[in-house]
Amino acid sequence: GENVEQHPSTLSVQEGDSAVIKCTYSDSASNYFPWYKQELGKRPQLIIDIRSNVGEKKDQRIAVTLNKTAKHFSLHITETQPEDSAVYFCAASIEYSSASKIIFGSGTRLSIRP
Amino acid sequence: SQTIHQWPATLVQPVGSPLSLECTVEGTSNPNLYWYRQAAGRGLQLLFYSVGIGQISSEVPQNLSASRPQDRQFILSSKKLLLSDSGFYLCASKSDGTEAFFGQGTRLTVV
């Protein structure tokens, strides 16, 4: 079955610097890759997602890149701000299929130093 | 967009007692539904998912079970809770072409 590995588990960056979180997946049939942000005690919320027909997607300070050949995707946050501190999860799933489970990475705790 | 109602928000149950967590979905039809468990400071472990009424796939062998009696209702149950069942339980709903939406979660403490 699908397995998603996420690195690093913790990341501390200076405010204003960039943060990069990387994930790899095992099932080549996966075609949908979301990223979620979870604040303490809250539900995960989508921050950006990418589907397999594109290699990169950007939304203001957040971007995601996808390399289907390498089965690798990354989250990039530029000009980090204190409110970016949270746990971030990547995930992989197969849309338009009966095998539609969503598998999450183990999470990255991002801390922004003032 | 979809709205997920999940209750209760917190629950304290003794070891050996039964469990029933309910999740209902609004704003979509025939969604895929999921139950996840999150231990303190850990990731999201997929417990069950369902692609339709009465169709349940189990990911992790354990003393929990799930049922989907209606299209937009997903229930997580246990006959006898263990201490290791403590955690943050999240229901999620996703339709093809949309993001997955999560309920508010249930923090279960087994004592």
Side-chain angles (χ1 to χ4, degrees):
Chain A
E2 176 69 281
N3 183 49
V4 178
E5 294 192 1
Q6 182 172 347
H7 300 281
S9 57
T10 60
L11 180 60
S12 178
V13 301
Q14 194 75 32
E15 182 178 351
D17 288 351
S18 297
V20 180
I21 302 171
K22 299 182 179 182
C23 289
T24 58
Y25 62 98
S26 60
D27 191 340
S28 57
S30 293
N31 55 15
Y32 176 63
F33 308 92
W35 286 88
Y36 282 79
K37 177 182 180 181
Q38 186 180 31
E39 297 180 346
L40 191 62
K42 301 289 184 61
R43 76 187 85 185
Q45 298 208 310
L46 183 79
I47 54 170
I48 195 167
D49 56 11
I50 191 167
R51 290 180 166 84
S52 58
N53 56 341
V54 299
E56 185 174 359
K57 184 176 179 180
K58 188 173 181 180
D59 182 3
Q60 299 182 346
R61 297 186 297 110
I62 295 173
V64 57
T65 59
L66 171 65
N67 183 330
K68 285 218 72 180
T69 302
K71 290 189 280 188
H72 171 274
F73 58 114
S74 300
L75 177 72
H76 304 252
I77 305 175
T78 59
E79 301 173 20
T80 53
Q81 300 170 3
E83 55 264 35
D84 294 330
S85 294
V87 179
Y88 291 80
F89 293 97
C90 63
S93 71
I94 306 172
E95 290 190 310
Y96 307 99
S97 165
S98 59
S100 60
K101 56 187 176 181
I102 308 170
I103 301 300
F104 284 82
S106 54
T108 297
R109 183 173 300 278
L110 175 63
S111 300
I112 308 300
R113 304 190 303 271
Chain B
S1 66
Q2 302 176 32
T3 302
I4 317 300
H5 300 281
Q6 184 182 342
W7 66 93
T10 59
L11 190 60
V12 180
Q13 291 284 97
V15 169
S17 64
L19 173 73
S20 180
L21 301 181
E22 187 165 345
C23 170
T24 59
V25 181
E26 293 180 356
T28 189
S29 296
N30 195 31
N32 297 323
L33 298 176
Y34 308 86
W35 278 111
Y36 290 91
R37 177 170 61 202
Q38 187 174 33
R42 305 296 293 275
L44 297 163
Q45 180 188 33
L46 179 63
L47 301 176
F48 300 94
Y49 71 99
S50 171
V51 299
I53 295 174
Q55 301 179 61
I56 308 296
S57 296
S58 174
E59 288 295 296
V60 182
Q62 58 207 325
N63 69 322
L64 299 172
S65 62
S67 62
R68 184 171 178 175
Q70 300 180 46
D71 179 45
R72 290 174 288 175
Q73 183 185 28
F74 204 23
I75 298 170
L76 182 69
S77 304
S78 174
K79 292 182 179 177
K80 289 185 177 181
L81 285 168
L82 306 172
L83 287 174
S84 57
D85 291 324
S86 294
F88 190 46
Y89 288 81
L90 287 155
C91 175
S93 171
K94 184 185 184 307
S95 300
D96 288 331
T98 73
E99 67 184 85
F101 294 88
F102 284 86
Q104 65 173 358
T106 296
R107 188 161 305 282
L108 171 66
T109 303
V110 183
V111 296

